[in-house]
């Protein structure tokens, strides 16, 4: 209850107009006839208005009405249906993900708009985002027939979409899935049979059709992830003229009763209970060795969803933060430690409350910097003609995606708790918005691959990409920045800490490599989560200081009387806070990993019972 959509567009304007070279994206062929940098403010303000006036009022229905499963049917709050159609019909929905659509926004700009919508009602957004991601898979990998059947209606929002990986016995270990696909006489069409669970938007009463993107194993294909294929499985069968011809034997058999995001229908789905479920394979059938293309294809949607997950975590954390700021200005309690006999003051004056607020602000800006740098790279990768730029962007995207997913979601859980702390007892009460935000953000560390899976991706795969050269270049860029700016008049100390952090990070890598070479393999998964956090703190520290350099220049030009001084002052202090208080976690991580404590491995399993 008590949603309160408080947000600011200022940091996005800084990111898009003063920090990242968004002009470079907007001058690419895909965008140059439609947008210029001068349009940015207007687009952001429009999106903000939609978020505040159209999306935010639906938020309370997450808890008041919720998604429901009754008499075999799933219903969502009626306000969600109106919001779904409003967003799709006004260009804020799946249509923007259609690369071929005239006038679509680049990701770096569209996602800023999406952040306000996620802040306004994060539980609603997967109805749009999953549909857009599924449409992208159909567009990328479907043959002409599949595209003809589904693509346009998915991008317009007329048909929704889902991603169906998880099964009761195959969660993190998706390679163990049991859903089967049997070839039929019709080329490309398979009979699907199996059960999927935890499917977001698996059923709802918003759209007449839902196209499920289902991972399944063609009969006889290889075990494990290698043998998996991907299928477009509509809830309702459709003919070539676009008419719905009947049911496709896809049933929702129940929904989860969750801790948060209660308006989002999380469904158990049965495919082919009556052996009548048809699925269209995307790409090629398994090759002669039984290798399918499904897992690699699904990664397109998963990588997008991982970034969206981190971004939604950030958006909800920011709402909690802005509410905490408003509350701490209003709430009067206690007197300054330096003047105990004075009048009582707003709690924002107290040192520890300011610490909590700056901790939230610095992390929020750090996460936002990482996310938007990554969406910028995404646009370069997809639209730039420059081979060298594309190569660099692809590498950064690979490394940064697991960081966005896991770091932002882990932090969201901690930071919304900090926001609650700012509210004192009122934070724990349902009359204020923080309790619901805390409940909502927990999901982000779990879905789209738990955060451990992201850490494994980082240390097990991204560190090794291109024989380690990709990651080495990623590190060298941070080091280069700190060295080039070592003598900065105001940020010299921060540059020095960053430089030392890069050295420590290399030592972390060497220490883990040493354990591996000595045959001590479990040390890698044992420390992977800490390493992901250290990696995120390193890149976030660099990006914040990069922003602080720009902000400091502005302060020098404008002086402290300028109306925008507070914003730039905030940027410099957020960077200082982060580098002095958060980046040193990297030194501690190195110390811990070098120490190499193995109590986690040594403890007797029976000891956990006590
Ligand atoms: C609200 C919600 C919505 C969801 N939406 C979707 C959806 O739309 N589509 C979909 O396909 N799925 C969806 N999921 C499923 C989600 O992706 C899985 O819950 C998640 O991947 C984890 O799988 P699991 O629940 O089986 O946990 P498990 O795999 O059983 O993991 C439990 C714990 O063990 C750890 N663990 C597992 N294996 C290892 C290992 N090898 N080494 C170390 N640690 C390990 C995990 O990190 C985790 O901490 C959703 C889940 C929820 C709760």
């Amino acid at each position: 209850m008590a949603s309160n959509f408080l947000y600011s567009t200022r940091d996005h304007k800084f990111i898009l107009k003063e920090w990242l070279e968004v002009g470079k994206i907007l001058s690419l062929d895909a965008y140059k006839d439609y947008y210029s940098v001068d349009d940015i403010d207007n687009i952001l303000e429009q999106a903000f208005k939609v978020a505040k006036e159209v999306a935010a009022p639906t938020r309370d229905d997450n808890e008041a009405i919720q998604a429901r499963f009754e008499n075999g049917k799933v219903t969502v709050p009626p306000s969600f249906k109106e919001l779904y159609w409003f967003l799709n019909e006004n260009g804020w929905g799946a249509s923007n993900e259609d690369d071929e659509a005239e006038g679509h926004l680049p990701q770096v700009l569209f996602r800023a708009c999406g952040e306000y919508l996620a802040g306004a009602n994060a539980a609603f957004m997967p109805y749009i985002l999953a549909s857009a991601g599924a449409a992208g898979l159909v567009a990328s990998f479907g043959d002409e027939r599949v595209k003809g059947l589904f693509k346009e209606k998915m991008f317009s929002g007329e048909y929704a979409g889902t991603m169906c990986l998880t099964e009761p016995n195959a969660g993190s270990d998706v390679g163990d899935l049991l859903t089967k696909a049997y070839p039929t006489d019709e080329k490309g069409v398979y009979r699907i049979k199996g059960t999927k669970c935890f499917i977001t938007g698996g059923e709802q009463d918003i759209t007449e059709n839902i196209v499920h993107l289902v991972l399944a194993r063609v009969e006889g294909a290889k075990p494990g992830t290698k043998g998996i294929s991907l299928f477009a499985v509509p809830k309702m069968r459709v003919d070539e003229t676009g008419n719905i011809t009947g049911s496709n034997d896809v049933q929702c058999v129940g929904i989860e009763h969750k801790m948060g995001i209660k308006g989002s229908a999380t469904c158990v789905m049965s495919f082919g209970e009556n052996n009548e479920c048809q699925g269209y394979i995307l790409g090629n059938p398994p090759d002669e060795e039984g290798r399918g293309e499904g897992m690699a294809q699904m990664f397109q949607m998963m990588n997008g969803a991982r970034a969206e997950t981190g971004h939604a975590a950030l958006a909800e954390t920011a709402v909690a933060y802005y509410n905490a700021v408003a509350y701490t200005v209003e709430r009067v309690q206690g007197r300054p430690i330096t003047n105990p006999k004075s009048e009582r003051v707003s709690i924002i004056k107290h040192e520890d409350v300011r610490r909590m607020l700056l901790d939230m602000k610095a992390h929020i800006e750090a996460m936002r910097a990482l996310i938007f740098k990554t969406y910028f790279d995404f646009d370069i990768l997809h639209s730039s003609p420059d081979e060298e730029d594309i190569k660099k962007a692809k590498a950064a995207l690979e490394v940064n995606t697991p960081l966005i997913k896991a770091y932002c979601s882990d932090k969201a859980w901690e930071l919304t708790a900090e926001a609650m702390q700012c509210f004192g007892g009122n934070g724990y009460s349902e009359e204020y918005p923080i309790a619901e935000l805390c409940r909502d953000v927990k999901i982000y560390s779990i879905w789209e691959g738990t955060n451990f899976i992201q850490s494994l991706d980082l240390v097990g795969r991204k560190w090794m990409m291109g024989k380690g050269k990709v990651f080495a270049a990623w590190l060298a860029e941070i080091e280069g920045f700190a060295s080039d700016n070592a003598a900065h008049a105001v940020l010299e100390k921060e540059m020095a800490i960053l430089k030392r952090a890069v050295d420590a990070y290399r030592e972390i890598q060497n220490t883990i490599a040493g354990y591996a070479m000595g045959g001590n393999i479990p040390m890698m998964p044992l420390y992977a989560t800490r390493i992901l956090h250290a990696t995120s703190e390193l890149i976030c520290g660099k990006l914040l200081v990069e922003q602080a350099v720009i902000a400091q220049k502005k302060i020098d030009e404008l002086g402290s009387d300028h109306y925008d001084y507070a914003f730039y002052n905030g940027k410099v202090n957020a960077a200082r806070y982060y580098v002095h208080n958060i980046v040193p976690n990297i030194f501690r991580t190195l110390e811990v990993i070098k120490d190499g404590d193995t109590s986690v491995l040594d403890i007797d399993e029976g000891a956990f019972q006590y």
Side-chain angles (χ1 to χ4, degrees):
M1 141 82 205
S3 73
N4 197 3
F5 177 68
L6 295 182
Y7 226 91
S8 163
T9 56
R10 185 63 185 90
D11 198 29
H12 288 115
K13 289 177 184 164
F14 172 82
I15 286 173
L16 300 175
K17 297 197 309 183
E18 298 178 62
W19 179 47
L20 297 173
E21 280 182 86
V22 171
K24 189 169 161 179
I25 305 279
L26 296 178
S27 65
L28 296 172
D29 281 350
Y31 309 109
K32 66 173 191 248
D33 294 338
Y34 301 98
Y35 307 107
S36 76
V37 173
D38 292 341
D39 297 319
I40 290 175
D41 283 5
N42 196 13
I43 292 169
L44 293 180
E45 292 303 336
Q46 270 184 46
F48 183 82
K49 196 167 154 47
V50 169
K52 190 165 180 61
E53 293 175 9
V54 187
T58 67
R59 182 176 189 115
D60 283 353
D61 292 344
N62 277 298
E63 306 250 330
I65 301 178
Q66 311 186 3
R68 291 176 188 275
F69 181 72
E70 278 159 0
N71 304 322
K73 296 227 174 314
V74 176
T75 55
V76 304
S79 65
F80 281 30
K81 295 187 214 174
E82 285 168 33
L83 179 59
Y84 180 90
W85 294 116
F86 179 91
L87 294 179
N88 274 303
E89 283 160 13
N90 289 282
W92 304 109
S95 65
N96 196 77
E97 303 295 307
D98 183 359
D99 287 345
E100 289 165 15
E102 297 273 314
H104 68 278
L105 288 169
Q107 289 291 309
V108 75
L109 188 45
F110 185 63
R111 296 296 172 164
C113 303
E115 189 177 316
Y116 310 139
L117 293 171
N121 187 351
F124 163 83
M125 286 310 285
Y127 290 115
I128 298 262
L129 296 173
S131 300
L137 285 185
V138 167
S140 297
F141 305 112
D143 60 17
E144 289 313 310
R145 180 182 181 198
V146 174
K147 283 199 266 198
L149 287 174
F150 305 124
K151 190 183 110 173
E152 205 175 301
K153 290 193 171 176
M154 292 178 81
F155 276 131
S156 70
E158 201 175 330
Y159 294 175
T162 70
M163 58 196 300
C164 297
L165 295 84
T166 308
E167 298 183 5
N169 280 313
S172 301
D173 219 350
V174 72
D176 275 349
L177 58 76
L178 296 176
T179 299
K180 284 272 182 328
Y182 302 92
T184 67
D185 295 339
E186 207 177 332
K187 185 166 175 273
V189 179
Y190 289 69
R191 198 161 50 77
I192 307 294
K193 198 166 176 61
T195 301
K196 298 281 177 181
C197 59
F198 289 124
I199 303 307
T200 300
E203 179 59 310
Q204 30 78 354
D205 57 342
I206 307 174
T207 57
E208 65 175 339
N209 207 355
I210 304 171
V211 182
H212 303 282
L213 273 294
V214 178
L215 287 182
R217 196 180 316 281
V218 175
E219 202 187 9
K222 261 182 148 25
T225 49
K226 287 199 174 82
I228 292 175
S229 298
L230 180 60
F231 299 85
V233 183
K235 167 185 161 185
M236 305 301 290
R237 290 192 186 177
V238 182
D239 69 18
E240 312 290 332
T241 57
N243 290 320
I244 288 189
T245 56
S247 158
N248 191 32
D249 193 14
V250 176
Q251 304 291 333
C252 171
V253 294
I255 66 171
E256 304 296 336
H257 302 284
K258 306 190 298 290
M259 166 177 168
I261 60 160
K262 294 180 184 176
S264 173
T266 307
C267 305
V268 182
M269 302 298 301
S270 163
F271 293 92
E273 174 79 11
N274 304 307
N275 295 321
E276 296 285 342
C277 177
Q278 286 185 349
Y280 301 85
I281 196 164
L282 299 192
N284 297 304
D287 63 17
E288 57 285 359
E289 288 177 43
R291 284 184 304 229
E293 297 174 354
M295 224 33 234
Q297 293 167 335
M298 191 51 119
F299 259 104
Q300 172 179 308
M301 185 167 177
M302 283 198 298
N303 281 330
R306 285 173 178 181
E308 284 161 1
T309 294
H311 200 188
L314 160 66
E316 293 210 84
T317 307
V319 172
Y321 165 69
Y322 290 121
N323 275 280
V325 172
Y327 185 84
T328 57
V329 170
E330 292 286 313
R331 172 76 174 163
V332 173
Q333 199 74 189
R335 292 162 177 82
I337 195 164
T338 49
N339 190 2
K341 293 201 173 135
S342 74
E343 293 289 304
R344 299 196 327 158
V345 293
S346 297
I347 58 173
I348 196 168
K349 305 258 183 242
H350 296 312
E351 291 76 9
D352 191 58
V353 173
R354 293 169 70 91
R355 174 193 63 74
M356 291 191 279
L357 293 176
L358 186 50
D359 193 58
M360 283 186 268
K361 176 178 166 65
H363 276 96
I364 286 165
E365 292 181 12
M367 297 189 283
R368 192 177 282 132
L370 178 61
I371 289 169
F372 281 90
K373 161 80 175 62
T374 305
Y375 278 125
F376 180 88
D377 287 332
F378 182 94
D379 286 323
I380 293 286
L381 176 64
H382 285 268
S383 305
S384 170
D386 185 316
E387 287 300 320
E388 199 44 41
D389 279 358
I390 289 176
K391 204 171 134 202
K392 271 181 72 179
K394 188 170 185 322
L397 207 65
E398 291 274 6
V399 175
N400 293 339
T401 299
L403 308 185
I404 291 176
K405 160 46 170 101
Y407 184 65
C408 298
S409 56
D410 278 345
K411 287 292 140 189
W413 181 233
E414 292 170 23
L415 296 170
T416 49
E418 202 77 305
M420 184 178 278
Q421 199 70 15
C422 291
F423 275 75
N426 283 337
Y428 200 64
S429 150
E430 294 294 345
E431 272 69 48
Y432 290 80
I434 306 297
E436 184 184 335
L437 290 164
C438 287
R439 285 197 294 277
D440 282 0
V441 298
K442 187 61 203 135
I443 185 55
Y444 302 126
S445 69
I446 297 170
W447 73 16
E448 288 316 327
T450 62
N451 283 358
F452 171 73
I453 300 294
Q454 310 303 318
S455 307
L456 208 58
D457 180 38
L458 172 72
V459 184
R461 227 165 65 75
K462 304 296 163 67
W463 268 13
M464 305 304 167
M465 270 173 65
K467 301 200 171 128
K469 285 193 188 137
V470 167
F471 199 85
W474 183 92
L475 265 181
E477 197 174 319
I478 301 172
E479 186 176 42
F481 167 76
S483 304
D484 292 350
N485 293 282
H488 191 278
V490 177
L491 297 159
E492 188 182 348
K493 273 193 195 156
E494 288 71 21
M495 299 294 174
I497 295 174
L498 276 183
K499 172 77 181 67
R500 277 204 296 127
V502 172
D503 294 340
Y505 192 91
R506 288 209 177 98
E507 228 179 312
I508 291 174
Q509 285 194 297
N510 291 338
T511 311
I512 292 291
Y515 288 133
M517 280 187 293
N520 201 350
I521 306 295
M523 298 303 261
M524 187 273 265
L526 183 55
Y527 290 112
T529 296
R530 278 175 185 265
I531 292 174
L532 181 136
H533 280 227
T535 317
S536 308
E537 286 158 356
L538 185 58
I539 181 71
C540 285
K542 183 254 186 179
L543 297 178
L544 281 187
V545 177
E546 216 175 272
Q547 294 187 348
V549 169
I550 297 168
Q552 185 58 48
K553 197 154 168 263
K554 279 285 192 186
I555 290 173
D556 296 343
E557 280 164 27
L558 303 175
S560 57
D561 292 336
H562 193 270
Y563 71 94
D564 233 359
Y565 171 77
F567 172 76
Y568 293 114
N569 171 278
K571 287 248 80 122
V572 173
N573 281 301
R576 279 179 54 209
Y577 175 87
Y578 194 89
V579 172
H580 288 273
N581 294 275
I582 308 300
V583 171
N585 292 338
I586 299 167
F587 308 130
R588 174 88 183 110
T589 301
L590 170 63
E591 203 178 303
V592 168
I593 292 177
K594 272 168 81 173
D595 178 43
D597 168 55
T598 56
S599 50
V600 169
L601 308 175
D602 301 337
I603 186 170
D604 190 288
E605 213 171 298
F608 287 118
Q609 307 301 327
Y610 304 105

